[in-house]
Amino acid sequence: MKYFLMLLLWALSLHCFAQIQVSGQVSDEDGAPLAGVDVTAGNVKTRTDQAGRFSFIAPGKDRREVVLSKRGFQTYRQILAAADAPLYLRIILLPAERQLQEVQVLGDRDARLREQPLSVRAVDATFIRRNLGGSMMKTLERLPGVKTIGIGSGQSKPLIRGLGFNRVVVVDKGVKHEGQQWGADHGLEIDQFAAGRIEIVKGPASFLYGSDAIGGTIRIEPPAAPAADGLAGTFTGLAKSNNQLIGGSLQTALRHDKWFADGRFSYQDYGDYRVPATQVNVYNYPVALHRHQLRNTAGKERAVHLTAGYLDSTFRSVFFLSNTWNKSGFFANAHGLEPRRVDAAMHDARSHDILLPAQQVNHFKLLNRSSWQTGNQLFEAELGFQRNFRQEHSDYVNHGYMPAIYPRELAIPSDLERQFDKQVYSLNFRNTLAFERHRLTIGINTERQLNSIGGWSFLVPAFRQFSAGAFAVDNYQITGQLLLQTALRYDHVNFRSFGYSDWFATPVGSESLNLQRAAALGRKFNSLTWSAGLSYSPMPFFARLNVGRSFRVPIAKELAANGVNYHYFSYERGNSQLDPEQSYQADAGLGWKNSVWDITLSPYLNYFSNYIYLNPTADHDYSYGAGNQVFAYTQSRVLRYGLELELSRKIGGGRSIEVLGEYLHARQLSGSKKGFSLPFSPPPSVLFSLTQEFNNGNWLRDAFVSADYRLTAAQNNIVPPERKTPGSAVADLRAGATILAGKQPIGLNLQFRNVFDTKYFMHTSFYRLIDLPEMGRDVVLSISIPFHHQHKKNP
């Protein structure tokens, strides 16, 4: 009996005093590691390191409570059941309250981006507000390596390191944004007022998003949901002098416990914009500009956003509904209307009139974003539906054998030139497993596109496309400063386009036939991509290197186009035999950051084994246009390399200087344009900036004055029929502050763009072909008024 009691006491002591190793990592809601988090388990206390990691020996209890706390974040509690093996926890801390003023602590986020092998640049709402343009891409254009391809003041598309259109993916709230990316005049249909944070991945990111991310990615995140119970919101106003733009956005959000709802309404109205020129040249016709205005470039934009969701420490699910609508005119002389046929008196009557030709676009989205964290696993999913409905309106103009008088019996309205209707269903799923040194993410992306067309003019056929991809990404923390990232992805794309025949007859011998413009086509594409990168960050120094292989599936326009593209003054023919683009890239980065200096140097190298591009031929079309030169899609080997520089230095007294530079060289290594560059290759440029910040006063906060001076070299390395673009020097001024009216903060920002009304050209502009310079002097004023009412809890 004695020995039995001793054995029982010994077993009880093992049970009561058994210890277990508990470790883990803590991050914020954006995935950035959190340092300095207090971790408590009974009498044991520790704190997370710079990587957000912690480790301790848990006391011997059947149920162990772990408590994590950090100022500015909600306290996290978790009960750990008894276990025989070491436990690893992956924990996300939510913010304690919503920050209404733009006082965002970005240090941890910026450090996380520097530790990534990819080249990633992030901007927050403060940057967006200080640099508001006519569109989101115009706002981001200040960043090195980021340019726009635009037509008009309201339409612009991203160009990253000289690659654009379907080579750049825009990800909105975790879902790939799908519009009509292939057209230069087709904008992004993204409300810039609704963006809280934007990350730009410069360089291929196919292993994350599949086809179309071969040139880069723009990730757009909404403003953070309110963390405290109550009502919050912001009013933003915008005005521009050049095109008399008036715009604004009103956002309100309500939270109760773990539920919240958010609503936003945005609008913009603008007139014809002005340029420092008195005439342009279209088809060798001189076209006079009335009062320096580019006629019929006015527009209107409206956007409605509704958000609702449930937020918990381990589970969150948010629904996003948005509807973006815009209507804008096309420059009359650039849309198939010869100068002699333009009624200048009508077009120049009022600058805010939207006359024919014009476009109208409506983009509807319904998305869900959910995540669930359990133990060391994080499950994430996005489910989305989008519909992009676009119409181009123009007076009927007959070419070739088209009837001189538009037939009344035709079901298509006589002013509906083209119509594109795209419906997209998307599903993304990821599972992230965090171990002591590994962070492994496996996932799938699927997307189904249904595209139909209409109108009396033809360019691209209707088509269906299904794509699916599976990937795995592993981040292995070799040491505290050395990270190895490896990725592997496999994609399958099934493309099917439908045949199209003219609605009018064309004489062929002794017969009159409705000619077939596009035959039915079916293609299947498969691709295996990979990426490997190292990041070394013994702060203040950091270095990164990434190599990989990416791909892009040819789009419907490249495979089956057969019509006039007025915006490029060309007749385009697709090539049904095109292969997917294959790209091999190397991307590096070196940097140094301390309290005074912040320097990043980013060289890159990119090789395409079969780059797809429009090749000009000796043919001209008179059957469907006005003798436009025929361009045919083809492929060639291409080598691209470049360098980006970001340098800033604080020089005391609230003053700082900034230098942003970029250089890109592209050369075709095969094909009929061997030895030439690629279209729309940006020339070298450098931006010098001087900023003076002022100390906060009783009623004035965050005041600054900044001057920018951008030097752009001439672009003589062109591809015919491109024209050489002369160099330029353009100056901008910016100023801003937060004014306290009692306890109410009011943010004001003022920009003077192109201060000296300089006449200059952008090589990436389609209007460069008609000798049209960029927008003249422009004064931009924005105002931001946050409001907040917090519910008081009963004692």
Side-chain angles (χ1 to χ4, degrees):
M1 185 67 178
K2 174 182 177 181
Y3 292 105
F4 173 76
L5 290 175
M6 292 178 62
L7 183 62
L8 179 62
L9 289 173
W10 178 74
L12 288 173
S13 68
L14 284 179
H15 176 72
C16 294
F17 298 103
Q19 295 178 331
I20 187 170
Q21 178 77 28
V22 179
S23 59
Q25 187 174 34
V26 184
S27 60
D28 64 14
E29 57 183 347
D30 294 312
L34 285 177
V37 178
D38 291 321
V39 183
T40 305
N43 295 326
V44 178
K45 294 183 179 180
T46 185
R47 181 171 288 185
T48 59
D49 60 17
Q50 291 297 317
R53 293 189 292 264
F54 66 89
S55 180
F56 64 90
I57 303 297
K61 295 181 180 179
D62 287 339
R63 292 170 59 83
R64 307 171 176 87
E65 183 181 34
V66 178
V67 180
L68 290 88
S69 60
K70 179 179 175 65
R71 185 175 180 180
F73 292 85
Q74 298 180 34
T75 299
Y76 178 90
R77 300 175 184 272
Q78 183 170 338
I79 300 296
L80 304 180
D84 298 325
L87 295 176
Y88 188 90
L89 307 178
R90 179 72 182 171
I91 297 171
I92 297 176
L93 293 188
L94 300 177
E97 62 180 39
R98 182 171 185 151
Q99 298 185 9
L100 296 175
Q101 304 178 41
E102 288 304 327
V103 185
Q104 298 189 11
V105 181
L106 297 176
D108 288 340
R109 288 180 175 179
D110 291 343
R112 175 173 61 91
L113 296 182
R114 280 187 169 85
E115 293 172 359
Q116 295 298 311
L118 298 174
S119 177
V120 185
R121 181 68 158 85
V123 299
D124 60 4
T126 300
F127 176 94
I128 297 172
R129 188 172 62 248
R130 289 186 177 186
N131 297 275
L132 274 176
S135 65
M136 175 171 289
M137 286 316 305
K138 282 293 182 184
T139 300
L140 298 176
E141 208 171 22
R142 190 175 186 271
L143 302 176
V146 179
K147 291 288 181 287
T148 62
I149 294 180
I151 282 188
S153 57
Q155 307 297 326
S156 57
K157 305 184 75 64
L159 195 72
I160 298 179
R161 293 178 171 175
L163 298 178
F165 300 102
N166 280 66
R167 293 184 177 93
V168 172
V169 164
V170 176
V171 179
D172 184 24
K173 305 177 187 71
V175 175
K176 181 180 174 183
H177 177 82
E178 287 286 0
Q180 309 294 336
Q181 296 100 314
W182 49 267
D185 56 311
H186 305 173
L188 283 180
E189 303 97 17
I190 295 288
D191 182 6
Q192 62 180 331
F193 295 109
R197 177 179 169 85
I198 303 174
E199 291 186 359
I200 299 100
V201 179
K202 293 186 285 188
S206 293
F207 71 89
L208 290 175
Y209 302 104
S211 180
D212 295 359
I214 199 168
T217 304
I218 299 174
R219 298 192 293 239
I220 305 170
E221 294 294 333
D229 287 359
L231 178 70
T234 304
F235 168 76
T236 303
L238 177 67
K240 298 180 65 177
S241 66
N242 184 286
N243 60 349
Q244 301 174 348
L245 180 147
I246 295 293
S249 184
L250 176 63
Q251 176 262 340
T252 58
L254 177 67
R255 177 154 185 172
H256 177 70
D257 196 14
K258 298 178 181 180
W259 297 90
F260 84 100
D262 193 315
R264 178 185 295 272
F265 174 74
S266 304
Y267 76 96
Q268 286 192 134
D269 286 357
Y270 51 90
D272 300 341
Y273 73 93
R274 293 191 295 272
V275 296
T278 57
Q279 75 172 36
V280 294
N281 296 287
V282 181
Y283 304 124
N284 296 322
Y285 286 95
V287 179
L289 300 181
H290 177 64
R291 298 172 60 182
H292 299 276
Q293 291 180 336
L294 195 64
R295 60 175 63 99
N296 203 41
T297 54
K300 299 178 180 180
E301 298 181 12
R302 304 288 186 269
V304 176
H305 306 262
L306 297 175
T307 305
Y310 175 86
L311 305 177
D312 197 352
S313 58
T314 59
F315 176 76
R316 49 177 47 203
S317 183
V318 182
F319 286 89
F320 303 93
L321 185 148
S322 65
N323 195 56
T324 304
W325 173 90
N326 70 70
K327 180 179 180 180
S328 59
F330 292 120
F331 177 44
N333 300 120
H335 199 75
L337 301 176
E338 288 74 20
R340 63 183 179 274
R341 301 184 61 177
V342 171
D343 187 342
M346 176 184 68
H347 278 284
D348 295 335
R350 292 182 68 253
S351 66
H352 278 261
D353 287 340
I354 304 175
L355 305 173
L356 297 179
Q359 64 176 338
Q360 186 169 305
V361 186
N362 195 88
H363 196 101
F364 173 84
K365 283 183 182 177
L366 178 59
L367 313 175
N368 174 264
R369 197 174 192 181
S370 300
S371 65
W372 177 49
Q373 180 178 330
T374 173
N376 67 334
Q377 295 193 71
L378 176 63
F379 297 93
E380 299 172 282
E382 291 97 19
L383 184 66
F385 168 75
Q386 303 175 63
R387 185 189 180 193
N388 185 280
F389 184 70
R390 170 188 167 85
Q391 292 181 318
E392 294 184 14
H393 297 277
S394 178
D395 287 325
Y396 174 69
V397 179
N398 66 304
H399 292 288
Y401 292 99
M402 298 170 66
I405 305 299
Y406 191 77
R408 292 184 178 180
E409 66 274 12
L410 200 63
I412 304 169
S414 62
D415 67 344
L416 182 59
E417 185 177 9
R418 287 172 183 162
Q419 177 177 291
F420 307 98
D421 190 354
K422 174 186 282 189
Q423 299 181 48
V424 183
Y425 301 85
S426 305
L427 171 64
N428 303 324
F429 176 79
R430 296 176 301 282
N431 180 22
T432 300
L433 299 94
F435 306 100
E436 184 175 359
R437 292 184 178 273
H438 286 271
R439 181 180 173 88
L440 175 65
T441 300
I442 56 176
I444 59 171
N445 308 115
T446 63
E447 182 183 85
R448 179 169 177 78
Q449 296 187 26
L450 310 174
N451 299 265
S452 61
I453 63 171
W456 48 260
S457 179
F458 175 80
L459 178 59
V460 179
F463 67 94
R464 303 287 185 269
Q465 181 171 298
F466 174 78
S467 59
F471 65 90
V473 182
D474 180 48
N475 289 278
Y476 174 48
Q477 199 74 47
I478 301 174
T479 67
Q481 293 83 34
L482 185 62
L483 172 71
L484 170 64
Q485 183 186 81
T486 55
L488 191 66
R489 182 186 179 100
Y490 178 79
D491 281 270
H492 171 77
V493 178
N494 192 335
F495 173 87
R496 182 165 62 95
S497 64
F498 300 94
Y500 179 89
S501 297
D502 289 334
W503 54 269
F504 57 90
T506 298
V508 179
S510 59
E511 299 181 289
S512 291
L513 303 175
N514 291 57
L515 297 181
Q516 186 179 64
R517 301 282 291 280
L521 176 66
R523 295 286 306 273
K524 293 182 180 180
F525 306 96
N526 300 284
S527 184
L528 183 68
T529 57
W530 56 270
S531 175
L534 277 173
S535 173
Y536 182 58
S537 53
M539 299 302 289
F541 171 79
F542 67 91
R544 63 172 181 265
L545 174 65
N546 187 80
V547 295
R549 176 180 182 269
S550 301
F551 84 109
R552 184 183 72 87
V553 170
I555 61 175
K557 182 185 178 188
E558 296 165 333
L559 292 169
N562 192 9
V564 179
N565 188 343
Y566 296 115
H567 315 295
Y568 198 56
F569 312 99
S570 64
Y571 188 96
E572 298 182 6
R573 286 181 181 157
N575 182 347
S576 62
Q577 301 304 311
L578 293 175
D579 294 321
E581 285 183 341
Q582 305 290 341
S583 169
Y584 299 87
Q585 75 279 348
D587 196 303
L590 295 171
W592 179 280
K593 182 176 181 179
N594 56 24
S595 59
V596 177
W597 289 94
D598 189 351
I599 307 172
T600 303
L601 193 64
S602 303
Y604 59 91
L605 177 69
N606 192 203
Y607 170 74
F608 284 86
S609 59
N610 51 355
Y611 184 88
I612 301 173
Y613 71 102
L614 264 178
N615 183 41
T617 70
D619 299 330
H620 290 77
D621 165 71
Y622 293 94
S623 298
Y624 300 101
N628 305 89
Q629 186 177 9
V630 175
F631 287 66
Y633 281 99
T634 188
Q635 295 184 283
S636 68
R637 292 185 293 114
V638 169
L639 179 66
R640 305 168 66 254
Y641 56 85
L643 180 70
E644 294 159 0
L645 169 68
E646 296 183 64
L647 180 152
S648 65
R649 185 182 189 277
K650 296 179 181 179
I651 53 179
R655 290 183 296 274
S656 62
I657 59 173
E658 187 176 24
V659 180
L660 305 175
E662 59 183 303
Y663 169 78
L664 167 67
H665 178 84
R667 184 169 296 275
Q668 298 186 42
L669 304 179
S670 65
S672 60
K673 290 296 185 294
K674 181 179 179 180
F676 285 96
S677 181
L678 289 175
F680 300 109
S681 294
S685 68
V686 60
L687 177 89
F688 300 95
S689 181
L690 175 64
T691 300
Q692 172 68 63
E693 297 179 342
F694 302 93
N695 294 327
N696 292 333
N698 293 330
W699 57 275
L700 194 67
R701 304 283 176 88
D702 305 321
F704 77 96
V705 176
S706 180
D708 291 351
Y709 189 67
R710 182 183 292 276
L711 292 173
T712 304
Q715 182 56 287
N716 298 318
N717 190 14
I718 62 171
V719 186
E722 277 192 321
R723 298 183 182 180
K724 295 181 179 180
T725 303
S728 62
V730 181
D732 299 330
L733 294 175
R734 294 178 293 135
T738 298
I739 300 173
L740 295 179
K743 294 184 179 181
Q744 175 63 56
I746 301 175
L748 293 174
N749 280 277
L750 185 65
Q751 301 178 62
F752 292 87
R753 295 191 169 187
N754 195 0
V755 175
F756 302 110
D757 203 28
T758 303
K759 181 179 180 180
Y760 72 102
F761 299 89
M762 283 185 62
H763 190 70
T764 58
S765 171
F766 270 84
Y767 279 162
R768 173 73 186 95
L769 295 171
I770 58 174
D771 296 325
L772 180 69
E774 293 301 302
M775 185 180 289
R777 184 184 296 112
D778 193 16
V779 181
V780 183
L781 174 64
S782 64
I783 181 172
S784 178
I785 305 176
F787 56 88
H788 182 224
H789 176 71
Q790 185 170 346
H791 292 168
K792 295 182 180 180
K793 297 183 178 180
N794 295 326

